[in-house]
Amino acid sequence: MDQKQKYNLQMTRRELFGLTAKGIGVAALASLLKPDWLLGESDSMDPRTGGQLGLPHFKPKAKRVIFLFQSGAPSQVDLFDYKPGLKARQGTQLPASVRKGAPLQGMTDMSPEDSYTVVASPFGFRQYGQSGAWVSELLPHTAKIVDEISIVRSMQSDAANHEPGVTFLQTGFPIVGRPSMGAWVSYGLGSENQNLPAFVVLLSKPDAPDGDIPLTARYWSAGFMPSKYQGVAFRASSDPVAYLSNPPGISRTIQRRVLDDLDKLNQMSYEKYIDPEIETRIAQHEMAYRMQASVPDLMDLSKEPETVFEMYGPNARQPGTYAANCLLARRLAERGVRFIQLYHRGWDHHSNLVRDIQLQCKGVDQPSAALIQDLKQRGLLDDTLVIWAGEFGRTVYIGDKSVSDNYGRDHHGRCFTI
């Protein structure tokens, strides 16, 4: 009896209803039914990369993605979206032609409905490069590489708060449960390095004292797809991945024997239940074993020349900072990781915007520009897509009749910059 016949016997009507009731849905059911059986193929996976055979359907230029996600929604009005007309309206009420007679919705505690005071950016803007792109004085390093980037100021989102906003930008849907962008890339293309995950997540500390919002693992999850496609979060500690190091007294030889026996037990379980998550568990055990050798070399920055640390800035030597993670992103790209996701917190500026956005930009500007320069000089920028974005934008008004020193900007999904 082959595996397909065994599977048909195992999948009872009760089990089918039980699985679909948990929200796995049609896509997950397709993975449980093994698409290669339905297509009449012996194997739908590329043995070299672990990705899907036949994907992509055209030859792409980019081989990998680095997503520099600015969590909390940076104010485009103070960074990339120059609006000189706001200075003429400074301190006035938002025109009725903009409001169209309706009260504006916001997350900040607002004053009465008629109080939406227009506030221009207090920071200077200049045009840079051959493109003549307008960039704020807060981003002097980014201004130097402005001809290497595309600034899109017409982005929109239906989300008005952080949880659905981040979810929407990461998955294309405002409701949780869908695979993240990195998971789809991991699923489609697999990995160029069998000793590292195809999808790696790096988290950095905020630079400002306020404006931090929590991040959860569901932002980089695989949703309804097998869990082997989800992102693997690296930590800023001596053990970058949880339980990567062996316990005291356990040698690599002993661990190999334990894994071999455990895999045999898992294989017996798979032959009985034909559950793809068991296969994932076996594969992840093997990946973890290989990562014990590859991750320490990845995290060892001692061989990087001093010029590299000078380029990325003074925080590049400090694990867990945005600068250190940008440098790690380049090292991951060199090693064939397909999707590298950075999450940098601290951009939710409902108050103290002038102070906090300067602190955030000081921590982000130089490393972001250095990453572009570093990739370019190593020949990696030609086939690496680098994205810099938050989940939505910020308003040109504040909910107060007077502009005080601690003002902030509210959420604005109808206009932001990427």
Side-chain angles (χ1 to χ4, degrees), residues 322-377:
Y322 182 81
N325 284 350
C326 281
L327 178 53
L328 279 177
R330 187 265 288 166
R331 293 172 65 85
L332 286 163
E334 285 181 309
R335 287 160 173 77
V337 175
R338 291 287 192 188
F339 202 98
I340 305 153
Q341 177 85 62
L342 275 68
Y343 286 92
H344 187 56
R345 309 191 309 272
W347 290 99
D348 191 23
H349 300 151
H350 290 278
S351 61
N352 296 311
L353 179 139
V354 174
R355 178 198 68 185
D356 289 350
I357 199 170
Q358 291 185 77
L359 293 172
Q360 286 291 112
C361 288
K362 185 177 180 180
V364 164
D365 177 41
Q366 183 174 351
S368 297
L371 176 61
I372 300 299
Q373 294 171 304
D374 203 2
L375 291 171
K376 185 175 182 180
Q377 69 185 17

Side-chain angles (χ1 to χ4, degrees), residues 218-236:
R218 61 175 170 266
Y219 293 144
W220 52 90
S221 79
F224 50 68
M225 294 197 300
S227 58
K228 64 182 178 181
Y229 300 117
Q230 69 188 14
V232 177
F234 282 15
R235 306 179 302 176

Side-chain angles (χ1 to χ4, degrees), residues 272-338:
K272 181 178 180 180
Y273 296 108
I274 319 295
D275 183 350
E277 280 301 302
I278 298 175
E279 282 190 317
T280 293
R281 194 179 307 142
I282 295 172
Q284 296 302 78
H285 285 163
E286 293 300 321
M287 171 62 77
Y289 182 77
R290 296 193 298 270
M291 286 171 62
Q292 287 185 310
S294 62
V295 170
D297 176 67
L298 166 72
M299 306 298 287
D300 182 10
L301 305 182
S302 62
K303 296 179 181 179
E304 293 286 350
E306 186 62 32
T307 53
V308 168
F309 293 107
E310 291 174 358
M311 181 167 57
Y312 280 88
N315 293 331
R317 295 183 185 276
Q318 301 176 25
T321 62
Y322 182 81
N325 284 350
C326 281
L327 178 53
L328 279 177
R330 187 265 288 166
R331 293 172 65 85
L332 286 163
E334 285 181 309
R335 287 160 173 77
V337 175
R338 291 287 192 188

Side-chain angles (χ1 to χ4, degrees), residues 239-252:
D239 221 359
V241 180
Y243 309 111
L244 188 66
S245 301
N246 288 333
I250 302 297
S251 68
R252 193 160 172 81

Side-chain angles (χ1 to χ4, degrees), residues 1-12 15-16 19 28-34 37-38 270-276:
M1 183 182 294
D2 62 21
Q3 277 197 333
K4 183 178 180 181
Q5 290 172 316
K6 288 181 181 179
Y7 179 81
N8 289 336
L9 291 175
Q10 289 294 334
M11 179 59 77
T12 65
E15 288 173 333
L16 176 63
L19 286 171
L29 182 59
S31 71
L32 291 173
L33 291 175
K34 293 284 187 180
W37 290 342
L38 301 178
Y270 176 75
E271 290 175 358
K272 181 178 180 180
Y273 296 108
I274 319 295
D275 183 350

